[in-house]
Amino acid sequence: MRHKHSDYMQWSKTQSRAQFNLATSGVASFPLRELPVDLKELEINGDDSYGYAPLQQAIATHHGVDPDCVVESAGTSMANHLAMAAILETGDEVLIEHPVYGPILDIAHYLEANVKRFRRREENGWAIDPAEVRSCVTPKTRLIVITNLHNPTSVLTPESVLREIGDIARSIGALVLVDEVYLDAVYENTPRTSFHLGPEFVVTSSLTKIYGVSGLRCGWILAQPDLAWKMRRLNDLYSATPVHPGELLSVAAFQHLDLLRENARWIVDADRKLLRDFLKKQPSLTAVSTEWGTTSFPRLSSDHGRNADAFLECLRSQFDTSAVPGRFFEMPDHFRIGMGVKTEMFAEGLNRISCAISQRR
Ligand SMILES: Cc1ncc(COP(=O)(O)O)c(C=O)c1O
């Protein structure tokens, strides 16, 4: 039977809630009342059959690309789906990083692609090793998929490595899909999109994670114009036209992007500092430390068993604190915690993780 669901999404929608919610990946909500926008200007319908021109332009300007390369989508979720579905045929080989954000794998399985994996190794700081990628591609590989920043670890892949991945893809006639939804969490010297590295790069992103406006579902794909057109045609089968008030508010968000980004930056920074101090004092947990990003992926020491699920269940039921089980990233002895929502909540969540660990000793 064809794969038609995401266990992670279901868990996230039904099992992740807690008073101290560290199962997040995006920053705090940006309140509509603080967005400088005249709500009387909102309209319900508009001229947006294959994208609303002012929004296409705003996305294109943000990335320094031609609007013909921009495909609007309902969040990065639909962006990833459209991108992979437009590129892959049934049985095509797709090479996906491990660990990976679960729904990316779900999409590949749904499309009945032939899924291959390459490892990012914890002992190597979760970095992408181009030699490993090279050893995993075959002449049949159509697509290589990575996230940058990496979800769950927030590790940044440098441009030099992305170029090497591009070279590998080009040598076998494949494309590289880079999910950059977390890239703008690099608050200083923010790297430009990898779309500029060559025609083999296809990029997905959105305003959902780092800008606090997930409810607008403003996502997009950057692709070469012919492929972009294929994706717009494919989207006709799904959402036909976008929600126009969402497009208008997204244009307003683009006009004040720095305001939105800075709004949560200090929370992310404060949370990261707390996390670093916490990990130094917590021998049962180890995590690769990153300079940027809204997620971290600690490993629970083997004294607590090789699976963090029981620990996380106890953390939620007895300490009202949640984190994402590593099994959703195929690494069950890890779990993911999210920064950037509310520092008091984050601090107390860490405190409760400590209590839960002490209780299990
Ligand atoms: C790597 C990655 N891609 C895509 C998504 C989906 O994002 P969106 O809310 O924009 O659909 C997420 C959400 O957690 C994610 O972590």
Side-chain angles (χ1 to χ4, degrees):
M1 244 248 273
R2 188 174 174 146
H3 183 93
K4 290 185 184 167
H5 62 269
S6 159
D7 288 335
Y8 166 70
M9 287 304 286
Q10 189 187 14
W11 178 88
S12 165
K13 289 177 176 181
T14 62
Q15 308 283 306
S16 72
R17 277 192 202 137
Q19 189 181 357
F20 302 94
N21 186 353
L22 307 192
T24 57
S25 57
V27 302
S29 295
F30 188 90
L32 177 59
R33 64 179 173 279
E34 287 175 28
L35 185 65
V37 60
D38 182 357
L39 294 180
K40 289 200 214 75
E41 300 281 306
L42 270 191
E43 259 315 334
I44 293 174
N45 297 321
D47 182 6
D48 62 359
S49 37
Y50 282 112
Y52 179 52
L55 182 56
Q56 299 272 127
Q57 186 58 58
I59 297 167
T61 304
H62 178 64
H63 287 299
V65 304
D66 191 297
D68 281 352
C69 299
V70 175
V71 182
E72 267 181 50
S73 69
T76 320
S77 302
M78 187 53 110
N80 284 336
H81 183 89
L82 290 176
M84 290 170 76
I87 293 165
L88 295 169
E89 302 298 331
T90 306
D92 275 355
E93 219 170 89
V94 54
L95 180 62
I96 300 178
E97 66 185 8
H98 178 290
V100 72
Y101 172 63
I104 288 179
L105 209 50
D106 293 316
I107 294 168
H109 287 309
Y110 171 71
L111 295 171
E112 300 185 323
N114 181 6
V115 178
K116 304 275 159 121
R117 314 298 298 279
F118 75 91
R119 278 190 179 277
R120 289 170 170 257
R121 295 179 195 277
E122 186 167 19
E123 58 274 25
N124 195 18
W126 300 113
I128 293 178
D129 175 2
E132 170 97 15
V133 175
R134 200 179 296 278
S135 73
C136 292
V137 293
T138 76
K140 292 193 188 140
T141 309
R142 287 287 299 125
L143 184 66
I144 301 169
V145 186
I146 61 180
T147 55
N148 192 31
L149 306 177
H150 180 220
N151 182 5
T153 68
S154 285
V155 164
L156 172 68
T157 299
E159 188 169 308
S160 56
V161 171
L162 291 167
R163 281 188 191 283
E164 283 189 70
I165 306 300
D167 291 346
I168 295 167
R170 195 176 325 111
S171 72
I172 50 168
L175 296 176
V176 186
L177 173 61
V178 189
D179 176 329
E180 294 182 352
V181 70
Y182 298 102
L183 193 60
D184 286 356
V186 179
Y187 289 111
E188 281 164 33
N189 301 318
T190 310
R192 61 180 190 158
T193 172
S194 53
F195 186 65
H196 293 291
L197 299 181
E200 48 285 328
F201 283 86
V202 175
V203 165
T204 53
S205 192
S206 70
L207 296 184
T208 59
K209 297 290 171 191
I210 307 308
Y211 296 97
V213 290
S214 173
L216 296 180
R217 305 311 299 151
C218 176
W220 59 89
I221 306 148
L222 306 179
Q224 294 305 310
D226 50 344
L227 185 55
W229 186 238
K230 215 172 148 186
M231 292 174 191
R232 287 187 206 106
R233 296 282 315 269
L234 181 59
N235 199 33
D236 279 343
L237 306 188
Y238 298 115
S239 39
T241 53
V243 177
H244 190 57
E247 292 179 310
L248 292 172
L249 287 170
S250 300
V251 171
F254 268 103
Q255 282 161 356
H256 302 283
L257 221 42
D258 288 345
L259 171 72
L260 271 64
R261 190 156 86 132
E262 288 302 312
N263 189 55
R265 177 181 176 168
W266 65 273
I267 311 175
V268 179
D269 289 348
D271 288 2
R272 186 184 325 284
K273 187 171 176 327
L274 285 172
L275 179 65
R276 281 195 182 143
D277 294 346
F278 167 79
L279 288 171
K280 267 187 225 145
K281 288 188 231 134
Q282 185 46 265
S284 293
L285 295 177
T286 46
V288 170
S289 163
T290 63
E291 202 180 342
W292 308 110
T294 53
T295 61
S296 178
F297 198 48
R299 177 161 45 90
L300 194 59
S301 83
S302 49
D303 316 347
H304 296 269
R306 298 203 59 76
N307 189 319
D309 279 359
F311 169 73
L312 294 172
E313 268 160 36
C314 154
L315 183 67
R316 187 157 177 254
S317 61
Q318 293 184 31
F319 295 90
D320 210 356
T321 301
S322 67
V324 183
R327 72 187 137 94
F328 292 120
F329 303 92
E330 305 159 288
M331 307 221 80
D333 52 348
H334 289 66
F335 59 94
R336 192 190 75 186
I337 51 188
M339 296 166 266
V341 178
K342 196 168 183 212
T343 299
E344 298 75 28
M345 178 187 78
F346 189 75
E348 184 53 26
L350 293 181
N351 183 29
R352 285 170 183 238
I353 290 175
S354 277
C355 295
I357 287 174
S358 309
Q359 180 179 289
R360 286 170 61 87
R361 273 212 193 96

